[in-house]
């Protein structure tokens, strides 16, 4: 089994006796021998929270996520529960008269099971407070709840037995004499309810697999050199058993063949405990004498393949499932309802099973065969009946274009080529001299190795070209003329010239191990973190064109069209079906996501990127109407706004382009066609553009229709138009914009109305100050208002020429001032300019 193992976290600490994953947060909790409990973020590696639980070892700890609690058992016989958000201690009580060695939380009921060195198991209901006691004859080491029947659970004990219990009975359902030469340290159920198996580990250094139906041991795994602390099934479609021992190692076993696949050692002394992340992430937390390690087992990418017609085959463990995307096209209503980013309601059907754990699945180019590679073997099936057509040893597999020829990599040095299921006698040149990592099919047979890529001719076995480059994968365009060599941080696009290669062969020149240099020419190198294998490195899917024929999936050598969509979670490219005009992607759970990708649009965009506007104009007619707006946005991004204006059907986008291009007549008509009040912003934009182009009349009209009083006041003041200013003052008063109304009246030289406006807006003090010099009679209104409010003393302080006692204060030509007020009342002193002369023909 080709199994990837990634160490996500390694944290040094005191001895770790128990670990558990949080079901929703990226947390792992660890109970320590020093009495503390730590919660780690296994993504960042940071310690999120620390709890001082006891002064003695904490031997078991579990999350109760539905209550935001964790529960811990320790050597002071206490069972404690804490709220991990508030650090509040929920409860603490003596649960047993001896060490609490293990505990389990029921998945649905409000029950906590504890096992102790007092040889009893107790169940605790945090809702009801009752307990039930059952027993062994020695220390209780572990408790496991049956995933198929949560009403039953199993316990392991140092009395060499495993007992299966019902939560409603104090007596065991049955007892297994699990290990003859030592106590049983751990028991665990198989996560698949259809497989009635349990694992047990013991001090006899073995792991045993038991069939609960026959109550017999079906397999014994040997390999550890000390007591085996635990063993678990990983699940999640990964047929793997993981075990840990006091010999300091972690061993990975194939759950199907029971073969040892790998042994891990992190130099942290003895292994004590384990926690499994049960959300399908295949993450395992392991506790050691010196700390904690979190491992990621396997890969996130699903194993799948889709042929050119849309027939999909995927693997879930060793089970094979199938679906047909072509059926979506037959049901037109479904296709029309699929918007970009929507999930396809596609049901996967069981097709059969494979004898190996699949690392890869490949359709032959014509779709007649499917190859499954895994566990060092390959099997060729027929995709409809799922019948075995051929099989053999092989770590990697590649199909030729004719679907009758294929190559198999055996080990690292041997490559065998088959045609019509018979091995070819002609050997590949140079095979055996290089250590090969994987094979890749296409027009040429390709092999990747450490620091090189080599291409062979399928027919002759001659080396076409050897290229020294670090690579991760190889991808051919469907035209067979271009190939992408992908590495970790960049990829190279090369063009294959078959004619040049044949000419070199015909010339009789000896072609060595480096091949024919003229066979390939480099088109470009793209140094990006985007990978053309479809993996969403930045959770974004990019579309590239390799050549003028725009064959999909394809990648552009000079410039990309832009991201199709940004995603929250990684997606993987499933394929493109031209008849659907859709690109399909899948996530880790094999949910299919669809995006519209019209070939006509891609061809048009290719012509635009190449600045071939004549060809683009010819291709535009083939672009669907529903795609025109997307194309227009693309043209705008390419700084072809005039062309975008001709293409777009979106009135909003058309208006934006008209403003950007100073197409004021078009912008004006679009603004008029927009209903009120949505059109106010458009009138404002047209007005601003007209003003910047010195079209004052159009600007005035637009500002008035937009109801933009501030802009109207600015324009009318600049023009010095008294009628315009008076209308602005009236409109501003109606909208409550009193500051603008006052400024307009002041510009008109109308102090009487300005004072009246101040009085109407309850600005009596300002009105009085203005009235003293401009409108003397208005002073009386302030005094009258103060008297009406009972402020006679204050009113008396105001000098009023109408009162006899104040007459002597107004001797300096007061009568003349009143007469002058009558003369000039309401007359304008500004705005005598001929506005029509300024506006010219632009005046409305």
């Amino acid at each position: 089994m080709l199994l990837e193992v990634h160490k996500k976290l390694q944290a040094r600490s005191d001895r770790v006796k128990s670990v558990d994953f949080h079901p929703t947060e990226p947390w792992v909790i660890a109970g320590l021998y020093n009495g503390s409990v730590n919660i780690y973020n296994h993504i960042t590696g940071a310690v999120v929270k620390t709890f001082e639980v006891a002064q003695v070892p904490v031997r078991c700890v579990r999350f109760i996520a539905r209550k935001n609690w964790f529960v811990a058992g320790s050597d002071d016989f206490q069972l404690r529960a804490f709220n991990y958000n508030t650090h509040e201690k929920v409860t603490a009580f003596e649960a047993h008269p001896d060490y609490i060695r293990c505990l389990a939380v029921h998945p649905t009921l409000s029950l906590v099971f504890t096992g102790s060195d007092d040889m009893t198991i107790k169940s605790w209901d945090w809702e009801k407070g009752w307990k039930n006691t059952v027993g062994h004859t020695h220390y209780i080491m572990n408790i496991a709840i049956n995933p198929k029947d949560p009403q039953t659970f199993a316990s392991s004990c140092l009395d060499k037995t495993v007992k299966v219990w019902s939560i409603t009975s104090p007596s065991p359902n049955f007892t297994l004499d699990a290990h003859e030469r030592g106590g049983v340290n751990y028991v665990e159920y198989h996560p698949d309810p259809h497989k009635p198996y349990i694992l047990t580990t013991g001090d006899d250094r073995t792991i045993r697999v038991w069939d609960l139906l026959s109550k017999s041991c079906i397999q014994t795994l040997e390999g550890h050199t000390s007591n085996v602390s635990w063993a678990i099934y990983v699940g999640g479609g990964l047929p793997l058993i993981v075990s840990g021992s006091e010999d300091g190692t972690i061993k990975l076993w194939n759950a199907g063949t029971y073969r040892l696949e790998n042994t891990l050692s992190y130099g942290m002394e003895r292994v004590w405990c384990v926690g499994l992340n049960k959300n399908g992430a295949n993450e395992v937390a392991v506790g050691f004498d010196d700390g904690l390690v979190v491992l990621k087992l396997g890969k996130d990418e699903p194993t799948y393949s889709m042929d050119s017609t849309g027939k999909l085959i995927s693997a879930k463990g060793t089970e094979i499932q199938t679906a047909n995307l072509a059926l979506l096209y037959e049901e037109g209503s479904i296709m029309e309802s699929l918007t970009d980013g929507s999930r396809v309601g596609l049901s996967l059907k069981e097709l059969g099973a494979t004898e190996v754990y699949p690392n890869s699945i490949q359709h032959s180019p014509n779709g007649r065969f499917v190859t499954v590679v895994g566990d060092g073997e390959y099997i060729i099936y027929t995709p409809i009946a799922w019948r075995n057509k051929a099989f053999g040893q092989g770590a990697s597999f590649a199909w030729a274009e004719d679907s009758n020829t294929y190559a198999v990599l055996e080990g690292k040095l041997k490559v065998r080529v088959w045609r019509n299921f018979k091995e070819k006698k002609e050997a590949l040149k140079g095979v055996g001299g290089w250590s090969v990592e994987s094979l890749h099919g296409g027009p040429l047979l390709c092999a990747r190795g450490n620091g090189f890529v080599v291409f062979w001719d399928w027919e002759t076995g001659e080396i076409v070209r050897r290229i020294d480059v670090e690579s991760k994968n190889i991808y051919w365009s469907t035209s067979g003329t271009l190939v992408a060599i992908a590495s970790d941080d960049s990829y190279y696009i090369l063009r294959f010239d078959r004619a040049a290669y044949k000419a070199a062969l015909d010339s009789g020149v000896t072609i060595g191990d480096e091949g024919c240099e003229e066979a390939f020419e480099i088109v470009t190198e793209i140094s990006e973190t985007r990978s053309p294998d479809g993996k969403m490195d930045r959770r974004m899917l990019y579309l590239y064109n390799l050549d003028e024929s725009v064959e999909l999936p394809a990648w552009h050598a000079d410039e990309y069209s832009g991201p199709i969509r940004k995603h929250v979670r990684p997606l993987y490219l499933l394929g493109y079906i031209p008849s659907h005009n859709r690109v399909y992607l899948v996530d880790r759970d094999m949910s299919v996501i669809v995006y519209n990708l019209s070939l006509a649009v891609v061809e048009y965009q290719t012509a635009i990127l190449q600045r071939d506007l004549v060809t683009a104009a010819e291709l535009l007619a083939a672009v669907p109407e529903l795609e025109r707006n997307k194309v227009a946005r693309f043209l705008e991004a390419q700084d072809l706004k005039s062309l975008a204006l001709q293409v777009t059907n979106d009135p909003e986008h058309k208006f934006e382009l008209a403003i950007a291009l100073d197409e004021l007549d078009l912008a004006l008509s679009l603004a008029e066609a927009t209903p009120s009040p949505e059109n106010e912003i458009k009138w404002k934009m047209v007005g601003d553009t007209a003003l910047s182009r010195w079209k004052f009349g159009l600007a005035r009209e637009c500002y008035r229709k937009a109801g933009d009083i501030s802009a109207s006041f600015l324009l009318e003041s600049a023009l010095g138009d008294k009628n315009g200013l008076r209308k602005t003052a009236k409109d501003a008063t109606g909208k409550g914009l009193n500051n603008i109304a006052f400024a307009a009246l002041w510009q008109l030289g109308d102090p009487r109305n300005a004072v009246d406006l101040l009085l109407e807006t309850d600005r009596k003090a300002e009105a009085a100050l203005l009235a003293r010099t401009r409108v003397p009679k208005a002073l009386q209104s302030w005094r009258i208002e103060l008297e009406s409010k009972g402020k006679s003393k204050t009113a008396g302080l105001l000098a009023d020429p109408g009162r006899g006692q104040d007459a002597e204060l107004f001797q300096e030509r007061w009568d003349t001032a009143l007469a002058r007020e009558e003369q000039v009342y309401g007359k304008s002193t500004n705005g005598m300019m001929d506005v029509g002369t300024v506006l010219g023909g632009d005046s409305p």
Side-chain angles (χ1 to χ4, degrees):
M1 180 187 298
L2 182 61
L3 183 68
E4 299 178 9
V5 179
H6 302 284
K7 183 173 65 177
K8 295 186 63 179
L9 169 66
Q10 184 170 2
R12 294 278 178 177
S13 69
D14 202 79
R15 182 184 302 170
V16 179
K17 297 299 293 181
S18 182
V19 289
D20 189 31
F21 279 95
H22 195 282
T24 56
E25 299 290 342
W27 294 347
V28 60
I29 191 169
L32 307 183
Y33 199 76
N34 62 10
S36 299
V37 169
N38 290 343
I39 297 179
Y40 297 89
N41 185 313
H42 59 76
I43 295 177
T44 64
V47 178
V48 179
K49 301 174 189 293
T50 297
F51 296 81
E52 299 297 332
V53 174
Q55 300 299 318
V56 294
V58 176
R59 294 187 181 272
C60 46
V61 62
R62 291 290 183 270
F63 279 114
I64 306 179
R66 56 198 131 142
K67 302 292 289 184
N68 294 327
W69 295 348
F70 72 83
V71 60
S74 54
D75 283 1
D76 58 3
F77 321 148
Q78 296 282 310
L79 183 66
R80 297 176 175 89
F82 288 82
N83 186 309
Y84 52 71
N85 287 331
T86 65
H87 282 247
E88 173 192 2
K89 183 188 291 185
V90 178
T91 188
F93 59 91
E94 183 175 312
H96 293 267
D98 209 333
Y99 295 169
I100 301 175
R101 198 166 287 273
C102 58
L103 64 83
V105 178
H106 197 279
T108 57
L109 302 178
S110 55
L111 294 178
V112 174
F113 298 94
T114 57
S116 169
D117 286 0
D118 66 358
M119 307 179 193
T120 65
I121 300 170
K122 295 183 180 181
S123 60
W124 308 90
D125 190 324
W126 64 77
E127 297 291 346
K128 299 179 180 178
W130 58 267
K131 58 185 178 181
N132 180 31
T133 304
V134 293
H136 270 275
T137 60
H138 212 303
Y139 299 164
I140 311 300
M141 301 302 294
N142 184 53
I143 299 171
I145 297 174
N146 189 341
K148 182 178 181 180
D149 180 13
Q151 297 296 314
T152 60
F153 64 92
S155 61
S156 61
C157 180
L158 292 186
D159 62 6
K160 305 179 185 179
T161 67
V162 169
K163 294 182 185 294
V164 176
W165 310 80
S166 172
I167 64 174
T168 59
S169 173
S171 301
N173 296 343
F174 60 88
T175 300
L176 295 175
D177 294 323
H179 294 253
E180 299 86 3
R181 294 182 288 113
V184 184
N185 294 320
Y186 204 86
V187 61
E188 183 63 81
Y189 282 92
H190 196 293
D192 188 345
H194 301 293
K195 296 182 178 180
Y197 303 145
I198 61 170
L199 295 173
T200 62
T201 68
D203 291 343
D204 59 1
R205 306 176 184 179
T206 66
I207 303 139
R208 299 192 178 188
V209 184
W210 297 82
D211 187 331
L212 289 178
L213 297 180
S214 62
K215 299 179 179 59
S216 61
C217 178
I218 60 175
Q219 189 72 33
T220 299
L221 308 181
E222 298 178 347
H224 285 291
T225 58
S226 187
N227 300 342
V228 184
S229 301
W230 49 263
I232 59 171
Y233 288 102
V234 173
L238 188 63
L240 196 68
I241 296 172
V242 184
S243 63
S245 168
E246 292 181 32
D247 62 11
T249 65
I250 301 168
K251 292 186 181 292
L252 310 180
W253 314 79
N254 189 311
T257 63
Y258 301 109
R259 182 177 60 192
L260 179 63
E261 298 290 346
N262 201 352
T263 299
L264 309 174
S265 179
Y266 294 97
M268 299 178 74
E269 300 300 331
R270 293 172 294 181
V271 179
W272 290 109
C273 55
V274 67
L276 176 65
N277 193 344
K278 297 181 180 179
N279 65 1
N282 295 340
E283 294 170 340
V284 176
V286 182
F288 296 81
D289 271 335
D290 294 338
L292 171 72
V293 171
V294 177
L295 302 176
K296 169 73 175 178
L297 304 176
K299 58 182 182 178
D300 281 332
E301 296 89 339
T303 303
Y304 62 87
S305 178
M306 186 177 76
D307 67 9
S308 58
T309 64
K311 294 178 181 177
L312 170 65
I313 290 179
S314 66
K316 184 179 180 181
T318 58
E319 297 177 356
I320 303 299
Q321 299 175 319
T322 184
N324 193 347
L325 290 171
L327 298 178
L328 298 175
Y329 188 72
E330 296 175 3
E331 302 182 27
S333 59
I334 295 179
M335 290 297 294
E336 293 175 0
S337 64
L338 294 177
T339 59
D340 283 352
S342 62
R343 294 184 180 273
V344 178
L346 194 66
S347 60
L348 293 170
K349 300 179 181 178
E350 296 294 334
L351 182 61
T354 180
E355 291 81 359
V356 298
Y357 177 72
N359 291 320
S360 68
I361 299 177
Q362 298 179 43
H363 274 92
S364 62
N366 62 9
R368 292 183 57 194
F369 302 106
V370 177
T371 304
V372 176
V373 180
D375 296 341
E377 300 179 17
Y378 75 92
I379 305 175
I380 301 176
Y381 294 94
T382 56
I384 298 177
W386 200 248
R387 292 193 180 122
N388 187 325
K389 182 69 176 177
F391 63 92
Q393 298 294 316
S396 186
F397 186 96
W399 285 103
E401 284 188 314
D402 61 5
S403 298
N404 295 318
T405 306
Y406 59 87
V408 179
L409 172 65
E410 295 183 6
K412 296 287 186 181
L413 300 175
K414 187 175 182 180
V415 179
R416 302 168 67 183
V417 180
W418 303 70
R419 173 166 291 174
N420 296 324
F421 302 101
K422 295 181 180 179
E423 186 175 3
K424 291 182 65 176
K425 297 180 180 180
E426 300 84 1
L428 298 174
K429 184 177 181 181
V431 167
W434 306 304
S435 177
V436 177
E437 297 293 332
S438 65
L439 299 179
H440 303 269
L444 301 175
L445 172 60
C446 174
R448 290 190 310 106
N450 186 14
F452 73 91
V453 172
V454 61
F455 295 92
W456 285 285
D457 189 308
W458 283 103
E459 294 293 331
T460 64
E462 291 289 332
I463 297 176
V464 178
R465 188 77 174 97
R466 184 183 189 275
I467 303 171
D468 293 329
V469 62
E470 293 288 348
S471 60
K472 289 180 62 179
N473 219 324
I474 308 296
Y475 306 92
W476 284 90
S477 68
T478 52
S479 63
T481 59
L482 293 153
V483 62
I485 302 176
S487 63
D488 285 327
D489 55 2
S490 64
Y491 56 93
Y492 304 88
I493 307 299
L494 289 81
R495 189 181 302 277
F496 172 49
D497 190 342
R498 186 177 291 276
Y501 170 66
K502 288 186 176 181
L505 289 179
D506 295 340
S507 67
V509 177
T510 302
I511 297 178
D513 288 345
E514 296 300 314
C516 175
E517 186 174 352
E518 294 78 15
F520 286 94
E521 63 171 325
I522 187 166
V523 178
T524 189
E525 176 188 0
I526 303 179
S527 298
E528 294 284 349
T529 57
R530 313 178 196 118
S531 171
D533 60 359
K535 181 178 179 181
M536 314 294 283
D537 290 332
R538 292 183 179 174
R539 294 177 172 82
M540 302 179 79
L541 175 64
Y542 288 80
L543 175 67
Y544 293 81
N545 295 322
L546 280 175
D547 50 16
E548 295 181 1
S549 63
V550 195
E551 310 226 357
L552 290 175
W555 314 89
H556 182 56
D558 302 311
E559 190 171 2
Y560 65 88
S561 303
I564 293 177
R565 185 67 176 267
K566 187 173 181 179
H567 303 275
V568 176
R569 62 185 302 186
L571 298 180
Y572 309 93
L573 185 62
L574 181 59
Y576 175 78
I577 302 180
S579 60
H580 292 193
N581 280 335
R582 300 288 197 280
V583 60
Y584 295 96
L585 302 98
V586 293
D587 60 13
R588 187 182 66 188
D589 301 323
M590 284 304 297
S591 297
V592 179
I593 295 92
V594 61
Y595 285 93
N596 186 60
L597 186 60
S598 170
L599 185 59
V601 171
V602 176
E603 291 175 337
Y604 179 81
Q605 291 178 335
T606 301
I608 291 296
L609 289 172
Q610 295 171 347
R611 287 300 187 264
D612 187 356
L613 300 184
V614 175
T615 302
E618 296 173 355
L619 294 172
L620 182 61
V623 175
E625 288 295 324
L626 294 176
E627 299 292 325
R628 292 293 184 98
N629 296 333
K630 185 186 297 184
V631 169
R633 294 290 181 182
F634 167 77
L635 292 171
E636 183 182 14
Q638 299 299 316
D639 200 27
L640 297 173
K641 293 184 176 65
S642 297
L643 191 55
L645 182 61
Q646 300 173 26
V647 171
T648 184
N649 294 323
D650 182 6
E652 298 296 328
H653 190 207
K654 186 172 292 188
F655 178 82
E656 294 172 5
L657 293 170
I659 291 296
L661 295 170
D662 290 341
E663 296 284 348
L664 293 180
D665 291 340
L666 177 59
L668 191 64
S669 64
L670 291 171
E672 290 174 344
T674 304
S676 180
E678 291 83 2
N679 61 358
E680 290 183 0
I681 185 64
K682 291 185 178 180
W683 286 119
K684 177 69 168 60
M685 293 175 66
V686 177
D688 290 344
T689 305
L691 189 62
S692 66
R693 299 297 179 266
W694 301 91
K695 298 188 176 185
F696 299 123
L698 180 58
R700 169 191 275 175
E701 177 188 357
C702 292
Y703 288 145
R704 287 178 179 176
K705 291 183 177 180
D708 192 337
I709 303 300
S710 299
S712 294
F713 173 67
L714 175 65
L715 183 59
E716 302 294 357
S717 298
L719 293 174
D721 184 359
K722 63 180 180 180
N723 294 327
L725 279 171
R726 195 170 298 282
K727 185 178 187 308
T728 300
K730 181 179 179 182
D731 293 341
T733 302
K735 291 190 174 184
L737 303 175
N738 298 314
N739 287 341
I740 295 177
F742 180 84
L745 292 172
W746 190 258
Q747 287 284 336
L748 286 167
D750 190 353
R752 175 67 62 85
N753 283 327
V755 170
D756 290 343
L757 178 63
L758 292 172
L759 294 174
E760 291 172 3
T761 55
D762 202 25
R763 307 290 289 273
K764 301 297 191 301
E766 291 88 341
L769 293 175
L770 178 62
R772 179 64 184 85
T773 55
R774 298 289 181 176
V775 190
K777 286 184 178 179
L779 183 64
Q780 298 174 3
S781 63
W782 190 12
R783 183 178 59 81
I784 294 171
E785 181 191 18
L786 290 173
E787 290 177 348
S788 66
K789 292 181 178 180
K791 299 180 180 180
S792 302
K793 186 175 181 180
T794 304
L797 296 176
L798 298 178
D800 184 355
R803 293 191 304 177
Q805 63 269 32
D806 296 334
E808 60 184 19
L809 300 176
F810 296 91
Q811 292 180 359
E812 61 282 6
R813 306 181 64 185
W814 179 251
D815 294 337
T816 304
L818 294 177
R820 179 61 178 164
E821 178 186 347
E822 291 296 331
Q823 273 186 337
V824 302
Y825 179 76
K827 289 188 177 180
S828 299
T829 57
N830 297 327
M832 302 307 293
M833 184 180 294
D834 184 0
V835 178
T837 303
V838 177
L839 298 178
D842 189 48
S843 178

